[in-house]
Amino acid sequence: MRLSQATLGELADGVARPLYDRGQGVGILHFGIGAFHRAQQAWYTDACLNAGEAGWMIEGVSMRSAAVAHQLDPQDGLYTVTERSSGAPRTRVVGSVREVLVAGRDAAAVADRIADAACRIVSFTVTEKGYCRQADGSLDIPLAREGFYPLLADGLARRRAAGLFGLTLLSCDNLSANGRQLSRLMTQYLEETDRDLAAWFADTCRTPDSMVDRIVPATGEDDLRDLEARLGLRDEGAVFTEPFSQWVIEDDFAGPRPGWDDHGAQIVPDVAPFEAAKLRMLNGAHSLLAYAGLDRGHTFVHEAIADPHLRALVEALMADAMPTIAAGPGQDLPSYAEALLARFANPALHHRLAQIAIDGSQKVPQRWLDTLAARQARGLRSPAILTGIAHWLRHVRGDVRAVDDPAARPLAELWHSAGRGGIVGAVFGPGGPLASHWQPDVKDVAAIDAHLDSLASVA
């Protein structure tokens, strides 16, 4: 029997559930309703609704496939969030999602929702590649026409024609200055398609920066079976996560918003210090664990961080990153580093390294190269990150394991043309796809080459 509004009464005792009218208005449309959004933004919004706020139900939009719609729509949008740690798991039913639309199939319905006066916020977890940026950071217009941009533009045009107010566009993706990037890219798209709408967008909409932090591993069939045994109901949309959660949002909204800050979110004047710490320390360490951990035969994060060699690399990476971050008021970076190591070691999460390794070409600049560039400007190096780059380059060669990355083919072609002796310069040197973020000097190239040589004999 599936979880649904009709079967809520069949849930096992002790499972928290929605206490509010789920037929109320939809105030948020969310692009990219994957597991992370369901464990983070929708989870915070559910807490607001349970506390008595109204008008903030979420309409989700699946960008790539109908899989999430097939999970949630038969369940009336209901799903569970289970927090796992060394103790007993804690499960809660989240009810803030009304339904899931599919971008291609339901394009008209998506635009209708954006154009509805009740909608005040459009949010995003579309991953780094969902923003359709070219290597220089500008918008890839042909690719953008296949993403969220035309859907958003259609809805905004209809709001403008109806004389409605602008919206808050809230990026929750791991991009540095994500709100500013979204504003710049959306403006570029509108200037290509509707200059009048571009002016209205600039005048009436807001795009606050935000930083989100919660580890959400991919859900497996064993997870679903174990949950069903505990709940007495089958939940195809279940997500599993850690107890820790952080959401920091710039105080720059076009209109009303839920009281997320009453439930643990932080509304601040400047997100940059929190964002830099997350990208360079947590995400940077995750990517290092992923590529180096896979090469050392590990499967999960908690296994990789238990490897003394990898733990030492991660500690060195964090130590190198901390001086490059201008900490905000009350931000204790050494304590943050210690907390991250403890979170990585959580054996209940089963966070797969292969999941973290996806789309590395989109992640490496913010996670590693910003730190390298900042230290290079001070005459300093980061051997741990250079080691990570060697593992990543070996990964994208394409003959070690399957590579899930939008740049997989061009990177493999660079390997074919440049070879092991020239791949560093081909990727990071002048004209390389990542040259705009950081260019290695002779010593950096030698260090990465030496690591690649040492990895050549790895099976």
Side-chain angles (χ1 to χ4, degrees), residues 169-417:
L169 307 184
L170 181 57
S171 171
C172 300
D173 285 298
N174 284 327
L175 295 174
S176 180
N178 52 14
R180 287 163 177 76
Q181 291 214 47
L182 174 59
S183 177
R184 174 179 58 79
L185 295 165
M186 190 67 200
T187 298
Q188 187 177 344
Y189 180 82
L190 294 176
E191 286 178 344
E192 289 281 338
T193 58
D194 188 338
R195 286 186 173 273
D196 289 340
L197 184 58
W200 179 86
F201 168 74
D203 288 342
T204 67
C205 294
R206 294 292 179 269
T207 56
D209 288 339
S210 78
M211 186 280 282
V212 289
D213 184 0
R214 197 172 208 188
I215 297 171
V216 185
T219 299
E221 181 58 34
D222 288 346
D223 298 317
L224 296 182
R225 281 196 296 267
D226 291 345
L227 181 68
E228 184 176 3
R230 288 197 298 109
L231 297 187
L233 295 173
R234 177 76 173 185
D235 175 14
E236 294 289 348
V239 292
F240 300 83
T241 186
E242 61 178 334
F244 178 90
S245 179
Q246 186 179 25
W247 190 11
V248 185
I249 312 168
E250 181 185 8
D251 192 4
D252 183 23
F253 296 85
R257 62 168 176 83
W260 291 312
D261 47 331
D262 293 331
H263 304 280
Q266 299 165 265
I267 309 296
V268 302
D270 184 11
V271 173
F274 301 93
E275 170 192 272
K278 198 250 181 163
L279 288 169
R280 299 182 190 185
M281 295 175 68
L282 185 152
N283 296 134
H286 258 170
S287 288
L288 179 57
L289 288 171
Y291 301 116
L294 288 169
D295 279 343
R296 289 176 67 84
H298 302 302
T299 301
F300 300 108
V301 170
H302 69 272
E303 295 172 343
I305 199 63
D307 181 327
H309 172 73
L310 296 179
R311 185 183 178 99
L313 283 175
V314 164
E315 289 174 343
L317 177 147
M318 291 185 186
D320 286 348
M322 279 189 271
T324 74
I325 300 165
Q331 191 177 19
D332 185 337
L333 295 177
S335 295
Y336 181 61
E338 288 299 318
L340 289 177
L341 292 170
R343 291 167 62 194
F344 294 162
N346 184 346
L349 277 185
H350 298 118
H351 196 184
R352 290 186 174 273
L353 300 172
Q355 179 187 357
I356 299 168
I358 293 171
D359 297 342
S361 67
Q362 303 285 303
K363 299 172 179 177
V364 161
Q366 302 97 288
R367 298 184 177 200
W368 289 347
L369 305 189
D370 286 349
T371 298
L372 285 174
R375 290 180 64 80
Q376 186 180 66
R378 303 175 189 179
L380 302 172
R381 302 184 187 282
S382 183
I385 295 179
L386 298 180
T387 301
I389 286 175
H391 284 280
W392 174 67
L393 288 173
R394 179 177 186 270
H395 171 79
V396 299
R397 197 170 65 203
D399 60 350
V400 178
R401 63 185 69 90
V403 180
D404 188 345
D405 192 299
R409 179 174 293 179
L411 286 169
E413 290 172 351
L414 280 179
W415 261 106
H416 180 73
S417 60

Side-chain angles (χ1 to χ4, degrees), residues 23-195:
Q24 62 183 274
V26 172
I28 302 172
L29 181 123
H30 184 83
F31 284 106
I33 185 166
F36 185 82
H37 169 71
R38 303 202 300 275
Q40 185 80 353
Q41 297 88 32
W43 180 80
Y44 279 98
T45 304
D46 178 73
C48 294
L49 294 169
N50 265 329
E53 295 191 54
W56 295 115
M57 291 293 291
I58 299 169
E59 192 102 350
V61 182
S62 181
M63 296 300 300
R64 299 177 184 174
S65 74
V68 180
H70 293 157
Q71 291 170 355
L72 295 189
D73 286 346
Q75 299 181 179
D76 303 313
L78 293 170
Y79 65 93
T80 58
V81 173
T82 298
E83 296 177 3
R84 285 174 163 170
S85 62
S86 56
R90 295 191 305 168
T91 299
R92 159 180 162 186
V93 177
V94 172
S96 55
V97 175
R98 170 69 57 80
E99 66 175 336
V100 178
L101 304 173
V102 181
R105 182 190 72 193
D106 301 317
V110 173
D112 285 345
R113 181 60 69 193
I114 295 171
D116 191 331
C119 183
R120 309 306 294 258
I121 295 171
V122 175
S123 52
F124 305 81
T125 48
V126 294
T127 75
E128 292 90 341
K129 66 183 175 184
Y131 292 85
C132 306
R133 297 170 300 159
Q134 301 188 91
D136 64 359
S138 64
L139 186 67
D140 185 331
I141 296 290
L143 188 59
R145 294 183 190 277
E146 302 173 11
F148 65 80
Y149 292 94
L151 298 169
L152 182 55
D154 188 8
L156 292 178
R158 291 170 56 184
R159 291 185 76 88
R160 175 175 172 265
L164 293 175
F165 40 82
L167 296 173
T168 298
L169 307 184
L170 181 57
S171 171
C172 300
D173 285 298
N174 284 327
L175 295 174
S176 180
N178 52 14
R180 287 163 177 76
Q181 291 214 47
L182 174 59
S183 177
R184 174 179 58 79
L185 295 165
M186 190 67 200
T187 298
Q188 187 177 344
Y189 180 82
L190 294 176
E191 286 178 344
E192 289 281 338
T193 58
D194 188 338
R195 286 186 173 273

